[in-house]
Amino acid sequence: MFNIERWQEIFEAISKNKLRTFLTGISVASGIFILVILLGAGKGLQNGIEKQFERDAAGIIEVWTGVTTKQYKGLNPGRQIQFRNSDYSQSVQKFENQLDKRASTYNFWGASVTYGKESSSYQFRGVDPDYLGIENATIVMGRFINSKDLANYEKVAVIGMKIKTDLFKDKNPLGEQISINNINFKVVGVFTDPAGEREETRVYLPMTTTQRAYGIGDKVSNLFFTLNKKASYEEALAESEKFTADLKQLLKTKNVVSPEDDNGIGVYNSVKDAKQVYDLNLYIRLFFWWVGICTIIAGVVGVSNIMLIIVKERTKEIGIRKALGASPISIVGMILHESIFITTIAGFIGLLGSLLLLEVVGPMIKSEFFLNPEVDFNVALTTLVLLVFAGAMAGFFPAYRAAKIRPIVALRDE
């Protein structure tokens, strides 16, 4: 416990070494400042990465086709593989119990979309009802494609918010007719996408209507699946990898593609890719911790040095205290109080400065991969513990040296 006399002693000891104390305080404050800023930047990177993954449902698996590169069963390489409705239906039938969501799509790029006198070029897709959840989009007006639209080949469309703004301005688009490559569709919904404006320049149509209206028969561009939730990430990763392998085998067998040919049919497993991205983010944050802690250590060394100087200058005082009966523990406590005081005050200044900077500057940073840099309460508490520990470590060795001084030697010190 500090009393008034003890506080006076601390301030007197510090005031005798104003310049050294100031420089040491700057070192400690800068260490905490840099650590918190780096941790905030690490959190900003994590938030940005998580935001990018928000555009798709957890555990999304996407399958597409390509050109074969290996000869197989008498068929030459260079064949363009094309999915059909049967590829989708067989996949769903075989893995029905594992699937949470499923959808097939057909993509058109650069289509002419017209409303009245307004016209522009956008992408449109034939989709199944589950695609809304897979894409993690949100309906803000009307509805999405449903099973009735598929069964009845309805000419309905769901447009992105960017298209709504471009073509309809402030007008309500629901029930209005738009022309997509000279075929009319009724707008039944408007969606937004967390990934941003690029995804909102799409039009979604019923898959069956798209195949019939644009003469593509039973062709399919991509298959999308999400799996049932698992209790842990390890279980989800193991199941997704097994599902991916089994699905590739099924589709390669059906389309006569060599098992060793990864170009004929490609698969994207977001569970596996997410682990790689998050692992990279973890390494970056650990590196930031390392840099910050090294900076703090440099400040602690400075505090330790100044405490050694203080001990040297107060050798006679310490000798008198010991001659009057002061115990070694009380001498150690005296020095530790001073070192903890210096590091804690300087550290709090660095901590508050860094939190204020993150609070003010963080919201101004606009980037797809860097979002809302912040430091949560647990991290702030950890830095506080580091402050106290650093102050104790900085003063321990000088305090131990002071406690070992023999009174007779200290009293002779000039």
Side-chain angles (χ1 to χ4, degrees):
M1 295 287 296
F2 283 155
N3 54 35
I4 296 177
E5 290 77 11
R6 186 74 200 109
W7 277 103
Q8 289 175 342
E9 290 177 5
I10 291 174
F11 282 115
E12 287 174 4
I14 292 174
S15 63
K16 292 177 182 178
N17 299 272
K18 291 180 180 179
L19 179 59
R20 288 194 294 264
T21 302
F22 175 76
L23 294 177
T24 303
I26 289 294
S27 179
V28 174
S30 64
I32 291 295
F33 181 87
I34 292 172
L35 173 60
V36 174
I37 291 296
L38 290 176
L39 293 180
K43 184 63 175 177
L45 288 173
Q46 180 181 339
N47 292 339
I49 292 171
E50 288 176 351
K51 188 69 174 179
Q52 292 301 308
F53 277 99
E54 277 183 8
R55 78 176 187 87
D56 297 316
I60 186 172
I61 296 170
E62 179 182 0
V63 192
W64 63 90
T65 60
V67 178
T68 61
T69 58
K70 297 182 182 296
Q71 183 178 5
Y72 187 63
K73 290 188 176 181
L75 298 176
N76 292 326
R79 292 180 296 123
Q80 174 65 55
I81 304 300
Q82 175 64 63
F83 283 151
R84 304 282 177 174
N85 287 341
S86 58
D87 292 286
Y88 175 63
S89 60
Q90 287 184 21
S91 299
V92 171
Q93 183 178 3
K94 180 173 181 179
F95 302 104
E96 179 70 31
N97 295 333
Q98 297 176 250
L99 300 178
D100 177 35
K101 295 181 176 64
R102 74 297 306 273
S104 60
T105 67
Y106 195 91
N107 309 323
F108 288 87
W109 307 89
S112 175
V113 180
T114 303
Y115 172 72
K117 296 181 179 179
E118 302 291 338
S119 180
S120 191
S121 178
Y122 303 104
Q123 177 193 162
F124 74 94
R125 291 183 179 182
V127 299
D128 292 314
D130 274 359
Y131 190 73
L132 178 69
I134 291 173
E135 191 65 19
N136 198 27
T138 301
I139 294 294
V140 293
M141 299 178 68
R143 63 174 178 85
F144 195 64
I145 306 300
N146 57 35
S147 56
K148 182 180 177 181
D149 297 327
L150 297 181
N152 297 331
Y153 299 91
E154 298 286 354
K155 290 186 176 180
V156 295
V158 179
I159 63 175
M161 181 60 72
K162 178 68 166 64
I163 299 177
K164 186 261 182 190
T165 302
D166 290 347
L167 299 185
F168 293 90
K169 312 302 181 189
D170 296 328
K171 184 176 181 180
N172 186 344
L174 299 184
E176 299 293 329
Q177 296 284 331
I178 59 174
S179 173
I180 305 175
N181 283 355
N182 300 318
I183 297 178
N184 290 333
F185 291 83
K186 183 173 73 173
V187 177
V188 295
V190 179
F191 71 90
T192 62
D193 195 296
E197 188 175 279
R198 182 172 62 88
E199 277 68 23
E200 293 177 358
T201 58
R202 296 175 182 168
V203 181
Y204 294 139
L205 312 175
M207 183 64 172
T208 54
T209 307
T210 304
Q211 290 175 328
R212 174 180 288 186
Y214 294 99
I216 59 175
D218 63 347
K219 292 181 180 179
V220 173
S221 297
N222 300 81
L223 309 180
F224 293 87
F225 304 98
T226 64
L227 305 181
N228 295 321
K229 303 290 187 199
K230 293 298 176 184
S232 67
Y233 176 81
E234 289 71 23
E235 290 182 66
L237 178 61
E239 183 177 11
S240 68
E241 289 182 331
K242 183 178 185 305
F243 172 81
T244 297
D246 293 343
L247 179 63
K248 287 176 70 174
Q249 181 180 0
L250 170 67
L251 295 174
K252 285 183 176 182
T253 299
K254 184 177 181 302
N255 290 277
V256 197
V257 177
S258 170
E260 290 77 31
D261 190 349
D262 291 329
N263 292 286
I265 294 177
V267 178
Y268 166 75
N269 182 352
S270 72
V271 180
K272 185 175 181 179
D273 284 7
K275 183 178 187 304
Q276 296 173 348
V277 174
Y278 283 114
D279 283 349
L280 175 60
N281 182 257
L282 173 63
Y283 298 145
I284 292 174
R285 297 181 73 183
L286 289 175
F287 174 74
F288 285 168
W289 268 103
W290 171 253
V291 172
I293 289 175
C294 286
T295 308
I296 292 175
I297 291 174
V300 169
V301 171
V303 173
S304 184
N305 288 336
I306 193 174
M307 296 312 299
L308 284 171
I309 295 173
I310 290 174
V311 167
K312 178 65 177 175
E313 293 178 348
R314 299 175 65 184
T315 299
K316 183 170 289 189
E317 175 194 341
I318 292 171
I320 294 172
R321 287 176 180 269
K322 296 193 72 174
L324 293 175
S327 66
I329 292 179
S330 67
I331 299 298
V332 169
M334 177 182 69
I335 304 301
L336 285 181
H337 283 166
E338 295 175 11
S339 65
I340 291 175
F341 179 81
I342 294 173
T343 54
T344 302
I345 294 300
F348 266 120
I349 293 173
L351 177 62
L352 292 175
S354 59
L355 292 177
L356 181 62
L357 181 64
L358 289 175
E359 186 70 22
V360 174
V361 177
M364 300 179 184
I365 301 175
K366 304 296 182 182
S367 172
E368 291 185 2
F369 295 97
F370 192 86
L371 183 67
N372 295 332
E374 58 188 0
V375 176
D376 60 27
F377 175 77
N378 290 332
V379 174
L381 185 62
T382 300
T383 59
L384 179 60
V385 173
L386 279 175
L387 290 178
V388 177
F389 179 75
M393 289 299 296
F396 176 75
F397 294 106
Y400 179 78
R401 179 177 176 180
K404 299 292 285 184
I405 296 176
R406 295 167 58 191
I408 188 66
V409 174
L411 293 173
R412 291 175 180 173
D413 185 73
E414 298 297 334

